[in-house]
Amino acid sequence: MKIESLAIPEVKLITPPKFGDNRGFFSETWSSAKLKAQGFDEHFVQDNQSFSAQKGTLRGLHCQASPFVQGKLVRVIRGAIWDVAVDIRQGSPTYGKWVGAEISAENWTQIWVPGGFLHGFVTLVENTEVIYKVTGDYDKASERAVIWNDPTLAIDWPVPAEGVVLSDKDKVAPAFNPNDTWFTYA
């Protein structure tokens, strides 16, 4: 498995090998032992799946605060997304910065978004399915959100704002507040 860091080094792209023949392909998309040998040692407790029928469906920006912090390993099994991670760890040298990457069924890349980051994605095509592993259990009381188009964060989403499809909850998410101390940089 290939692991590469993005501009915020804690956010990683993981690309598993894919072996194809006349029947289709095989891919080992997760191997604890192989990734641990490369320094990536995370324990996952839950798998989640989402389906988005419309291009421009935006899910995020979300995270869970302590004690239910979640790291996420995200992959696309159909379609394509632009995935974003925002560092919100107080004291981090990249605090308030974001990174993004296209994750698709075609490029077979996964993105690791560690705890301490807001996470969101927008679908680039219709009928997109996303699967992601998380390192912490879901807890409604620990949910946090920031509005997707916050001017302070200035995320460069690759879809026009008028084409974005949001949940009712994401439409009313609060603005980024640098005084929130959901996470600290260790």
Side-chain angles (χ1 to χ4, degrees):
M1 292 197 185
K2 178 180 169 187
I3 301 177
E4 52 191 311
S5 294
L6 293 179
I8 300 175
E10 294 89 344
V11 180
K12 314 243 183 246
L13 293 180
I14 299 174
T15 307
K18 198 173 186 183
F19 306 99
D21 63 22
N22 64 324
R23 301 167 296 164
F25 71 86
F26 170 82
S27 181
E28 186 176 71
T29 60
W30 169 253
S31 169
S32 179
K34 288 177 182 173
L35 289 167
K36 188 174 183 176
Q38 295 185 64
F40 186 87
D41 188 19
E42 297 295 333
H43 174 73
F44 295 103
V45 299
Q46 181 176 312
D47 281 356
N48 299 323
Q49 182 169 350
S50 72
F51 170 77
S52 300
Q54 295 177 295
K55 176 182 177 179
T57 299
L58 197 145
R59 298 174 185 264
L61 300 164
H62 306 141
C63 69
Q64 281 197 177
S66 187
F68 294 96
V69 176
Q70 290 183 329
K72 298 176 181 178
L73 182 63
V74 180
R75 69 187 184 101
V76 174
I77 59 171
R78 179 170 41 155
I81 63 174
W82 176 254
D83 199 283
V84 173
V86 181
D87 187 352
I88 56 168
R89 301 168 298 162
Q90 289 284 342
S92 166
T94 54
Y95 179 78
K97 306 282 189 222
W98 63 272
V99 292
E102 183 173 325
I103 308 298
S104 69
E106 186 176 327
N107 71 19
W108 209 243
T109 298
Q110 303 173 53
I111 189 167
W112 165 245
V113 180
F117 286 73
L118 290 167
H119 175 252
F121 65 82
V122 65
T123 57
L124 301 175
V125 297
E126 294 179 346
N127 300 318
T128 294
E129 282 189 79
V130 176
I131 294 178
Y132 56 101
K133 296 178 166 310
V134 294
T135 59
D137 292 317
Y138 171 75
D139 180 70
K140 185 167 182 57
S142 299
E143 278 186 320
R144 303 292 184 270
V146 169
I147 193 76
W148 69 278
N149 60 352
D150 183 272
T152 303
L153 299 177
I155 297 169
D156 187 16
W157 296 100
V159 294
E162 61 276 1
V164 169
V165 180
L166 298 166
S167 70
D168 290 342
K169 180 175 77 171
D170 287 345
K171 287 177 185 175
V172 297
F176 178 67
N177 181 350
N179 296 319
D180 285 334
T181 55
W182 299 335
F183 306 98
T184 54
Y185 182 68

